[in-house]
């Protein structure tokens, strides 16, 4: 591992990319088998600051998971051998062992594998000759089923596509490209993901998603439709119970191998719930009383069906019970087995009841995030409020010793921004 400071001078200005986490409203697990799922973007995001260097190295700094790796171009596998891989995850076999040596057994290993895979696939030797530094920070809780890895992969793929000169604007075509490369990052990390997480992190808003088909925006502003469906209010509750998406998906597969007809019937039931909910969101009426009643029933039913697939957990059932006692429907979201539940907060909710639910869940040891689902997807910005990204980072309050002294390297300062400052990097879409 080499730690090097990046040069403030360079051939291009510093820029920042960002992408949201997600909640799956309906259809997780069933989506792996070709059924419909509905997901929405969170107002929690991952942010990547990208700065040029002059020494031909690529540095990846991930302060949240203690990664600080600097790769020379020569340490990457060549593009031809990466292109011939049967699966992107096989990139591990092409990397020299010393590249991963400091990160074996930790989350940093996967991050470096994806970084190496995407760099080898996208960044050619000419762009690499100058070098770059990338620091990714995330406000999406890790390992909770909220799409933290997809938010990371979308922000990372966007940055590398821009460095490689393949992406100049986050328009419809640009989003398609980002989504495709972020999906490969997800494959490196998760084996056989459905693609829903990277689709939501890329497109934002609400999406109807079916594996293999183009994600379908559901009447929301971020993805290009009307704004009426944006803004479903929810509490996202992180039980902190650890889970492995890969193991849970494999568990459902095993159950289906043993009880194919029964499990296919459960999948079909989930599909009908998702399809009806997608139609309601597409009609742009999630807040009307009838739609809200329908969504409430759908949330409860979907949770029960997920439990039948064996991906429930007592902590998730506790969330459903606590919220249900105040007439707020809840279900697990994401892979289950722990992780997060979502609580639908009705438009006319009694604020006292919301506070009581939050209080009880926090007292149980869970984290509760009040959130509005359906905001913007991937963004790429050179300016923040009219100020070049580099100057904005220099001026922002920092947790570096010595505070905002303007002397530190930009990447180090970004790594030390307080979360509240990071959240001010508001996304601008369609630029
Ligand atoms: C994980 O967030 C959602 C699952 O359906 C897996 C996937 O779609 O890749 C469990």
């Amino acid at each position: 591992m080499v730690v090097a400071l990046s040069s403030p001078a360079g051939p291009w200005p510093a820029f920042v990319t960002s992408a949201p986490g997600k909640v799956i409203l309906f259809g997780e697990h069933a989506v792996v088998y070709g059924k419909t799922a509905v997901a929405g973007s969170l107002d929690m995001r991952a942010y990547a600051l990208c700065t040029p260097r002059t020494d031909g190295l690529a540095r990846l700094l991930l302060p949240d998971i203690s990664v600080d790796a600097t790769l020379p171009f020569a340490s990457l596998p060549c593009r031809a051998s990466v292109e011939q891989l049967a699966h992107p995850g096989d990139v591990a076999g092409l990397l020299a062992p010393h590249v991963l040596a400091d990160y074996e057994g930790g989350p940093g290993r996967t991050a470096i594998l994806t970084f190496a895979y995407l760099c080898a696939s996208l960044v050619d030797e000419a762009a690499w000759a100058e070098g770059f530094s990338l620091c990714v920070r995330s406000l999406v809780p890790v390992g909770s089923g909220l799409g933290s890895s997809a938010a990371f992969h979308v922000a990372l793929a966007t940055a590398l596509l821009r460095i490689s000169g393949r992406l100049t604007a986050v328009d419809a075509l640009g989003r398609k490209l980002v989504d495709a490369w972020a999906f490969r990052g997800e494959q490196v990390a998760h084996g056989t993901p459905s693609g829903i997480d990277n689709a939501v992190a890329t497109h934002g808003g609400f999406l109807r998603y079916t594996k293999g088909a183009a994600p379908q925006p559901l009447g929301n502003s971020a993805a290009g439709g009307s704004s009426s469906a944006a803004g479903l209010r929810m509490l996202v509750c992180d039980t902190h119970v650890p889970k492995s998406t890969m193991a849970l998906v494999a568990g459902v597969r095993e159950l289906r191998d043993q009880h194919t007809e029964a499990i296919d019937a459960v999948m079909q039931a989930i599909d009908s719930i998702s399809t009806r909910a997608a139609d309601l969101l597409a009609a742009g009426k999630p807040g009307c009383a009838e739609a809200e009643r329908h969504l409430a029933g759908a949330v409860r039913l979907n949770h029960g069906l997920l439990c039948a697939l064996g991906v429930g957990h007592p902590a998730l059932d506790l969330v459903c019970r606590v919220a249900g006692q105040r007439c707020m429907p809840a279900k697990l979201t994401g892979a289950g087995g722990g992780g997060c539940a979502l609580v639908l907060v009705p438009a006319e909710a009694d604020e006292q009841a919301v506070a009581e639910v939050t209080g009880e869940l926090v007292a149980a040891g869970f984290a509760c995030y009040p959130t509005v689902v359906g905001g913007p997807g991937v963004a790429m910005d050179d300016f923040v409020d009219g100020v070049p990204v580099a100057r904005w980072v220099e001026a922002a309050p920092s947790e570096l010793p010595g505070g905002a002294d303007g002397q530190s390297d930009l990447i180090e300062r970004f790594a030390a921004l307080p979360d509240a400052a990071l959240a001010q990097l508001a996304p601008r879409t369609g630029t």
Side-chain angles (χ1 to χ4, degrees):
M1 183 180 69
V2 182
V3 176
L5 295 181
S6 60
S7 161
W12 37 269
F15 64 92
V16 71
T17 63
S18 70
K22 67 91 191 36
V23 276
I24 297 185
L25 277 70
F26 303 103
E28 48 273 267
H29 287 287
V31 70
V32 175
Y33 298 88
K35 306 299 183 198
T36 306
V38 178
S41 56
L42 285 173
D43 51 8
M44 298 179 248
R45 302 177 71 84
Y47 301 86
L49 174 72
C50 211
T51 63
R53 302 172 69 105
T54 52
D55 57 5
L57 295 173
R59 179 187 185 195
L60 178 67
L61 180 60
L62 307 174
D64 298 329
I65 55 169
S66 305
V67 168
D68 188 352
T70 304
L71 304 183
F73 188 71
S75 69
L76 290 179
C78 73
R79 185 171 302 167
S81 49
V82 169
E83 278 169 359
Q84 276 165 22
L85 290 173
H87 185 278
D90 299 340
V91 69
L94 298 178
L95 280 182
H98 71 85
V99 174
L100 296 167
D102 289 339
Y103 303 101
E104 285 303 343
R109 181 180 189 277
T110 311
I112 291 173
L113 278 180
T114 331
F115 182 63
Y117 177 85
L118 291 176
C119 283
S121 304
L122 296 175
V123 186
D124 60 25
E125 203 162 352
W128 199 282
E130 287 153 355
F132 56 89
S133 291
L134 245 169
C135 176
V136 189
R137 299 273 315 274
S138 186
L139 299 181
V140 187
V142 175
S144 309
L146 298 181
S148 60
S149 101
F152 168 73
H153 289 132
V154 169
L156 179 67
T158 305
L160 293 175
L161 282 163
R162 160 115 178 227
I163 290 169
S164 74
R166 297 177 192 216
L167 181 78
T168 48
V170 182
D171 51 14
L173 258 180
R175 276 194 282 268
K176 212 168 158 193
L177 191 64
V178 166
D179 193 19
W181 282 104
F183 178 60
R184 297 193 188 191
E186 288 284 277
Q187 287 180 303
V188 175
H190 301 306
T192 55
S194 65
I196 188 169
D197 289 15
N198 46 281
V200 178
T202 303
H203 298 281
F206 293 97
L207 292 183
R208 183 199 306 247
Y209 183 86
T210 314
K211 205 167 151 178
Q216 191 185 335
L218 295 173
N220 55 73
S221 54
S226 80
S227 61
S228 49
L232 267 189
R233 187 176 166 200
M234 293 187 196
L235 284 178
V236 173
C237 178
D238 187 350
T239 64
H240 297 310
V241 175
K243 49 99 200 155
S244 152
T245 299
M246 209 189 269
L248 286 150
V249 170
V252 172
R253 189 169 298 281
E254 202 181 315
L255 195 64
R256 184 173 178 268
D257 288 346
Q258 290 159 358
H259 304 277
T260 312
E261 246 178 75
I263 296 302
D264 282 351
V266 173
M267 299 296 188
Q268 194 53 45
I270 294 176
D271 186 70
S272 71
I273 292 170
S274 306
T275 304
R276 178 82 180 98
D279 290 344
L280 274 176
L281 289 168
K285 295 181 196 154
C288 85
E290 196 196 329
E292 216 170 74
R293 252 197 319 279
H294 182 94
L295 287 178
V299 163
R300 292 192 183 98
L301 258 176
N302 198 169
H303 181 75
L305 291 168
L306 285 162
C307 290
L309 294 179
V311 297
H313 188 276
L316 294 164
D317 291 340
L318 180 61
V319 180
C320 296
R321 210 165 47 248
V322 168
Q325 280 161 356
R326 272 90 170 181
C327 300
M328 292 178 218
K331 67 178 273 291
L332 72 83
T333 179
C340 283
L342 64 82
V343 177
L344 208 57
V345 180
E348 301 301 319
D350 168 6
E351 292 309 318
Q352 175 67 21
V354 178
E356 282 169 11
V357 168
T358 307
E360 249 185 78
L361 295 176
V362 170
F366 305 159
C368 254
Y369 307 102
T371 185
V372 176
V373 178
V378 65
M380 180 168 77
D381 295 296
D382 295 352
F383 296 90
V384 185
D385 296 331
V387 178
V389 163
R391 287 233 313 277
W392 186 89
V393 173
E394 268 169 9
S398 162
E399 286 174 347
L400 278 179
D405 56 13
Q407 298 301 305
S408 328
D409 177 75
L410 211 53
I411 285 286
E412 310 292 344
R413 292 189 61 77
F414 186 74
L417 283 186
D419 287 356
L422 201 59
Q424 284 174 25
L425 289 168
R428 289 150 188 79
T429 51
T431 51

